[in-house]
Amino acid sequence: QVRLLESGGGLVQAGGSLRLSCVASGTIFSINVGAWYRQAPGKQRELVASITSGGLTNYADSVEGRFTISRDNAKYTVYLRMNSLKPEDTAVYYCNAHLSGYSYWGQGIQVTVSS
């Protein structure tokens, strides 16, 4: 059974940084497309960043230039480096991974940015 486990969230002051990690377990197949989504209270879940197996990346306009998505195939891990955090980045962040023809979600991790 494939599972995604997120870590690295927490409370940080505005302007600070965090690095989220998402590790896939229960699989021998590499992640095809990895992505991070977020959902703030009262808002819809939105795509933050994605990365393909070839390393092509895509970012939401709101995080472009501040966030960096990366991956380590040997560790079945996708990362999200978040710099210059703003209070509006506060949300539950979800990892999403496509592998073996299926889409999987992590349980979500809270990121809170204080002003």
Side-chain angles (χ1 to χ4, degrees), residues 29-106:
F29 298 103
S30 296
I31 296 171
N32 185 8
V33 177
W36 288 94
Y37 288 74
R38 68 186 181 186
Q39 187 167 19
K43 295 187 177 181
Q44 290 187 332
R45 189 173 297 189
E46 64 174 353
L47 175 66
V48 176
S50 64
I51 184 167
T52 68
S53 57
L56 294 177
T57 58
N58 180 56
Y59 296 93
D61 289 343
S62 59
V63 306
E64 183 82 51
R66 299 188 297 123
F67 291 11
T68 303
I69 190 170
S70 61
R71 59 191 294 158
D72 186 333
N73 292 333
K75 296 182 178 180
Y76 300 92
T77 302
V78 177
Y79 303 98
L80 184 68
R81 177 69 180 181
M82 305 184 292
N83 295 328
S84 302
L85 282 161
K86 304 175 181 180
E88 50 263 44
D89 294 318
T90 295
V92 177
Y93 283 70
Y94 296 89
C95 176
N96 173 260
H98 290 257
L99 68 163
S100 304
Y102 295 92
S103 177
Y104 298 92
W105 290 90

Side-chain angles (χ1 to χ4, degrees), residues 9-18 82 84-87 89-90 110-115:
L11 173 64
V12 64
Q13 289 188 334
S17 299
L18 287 173
M82 305 184 292
S84 302
L85 282 161
K86 304 175 181 180
D89 294 318
T90 295
Q110 179 70 42
V111 171
T112 302
V113 184
S114 63
S115 58

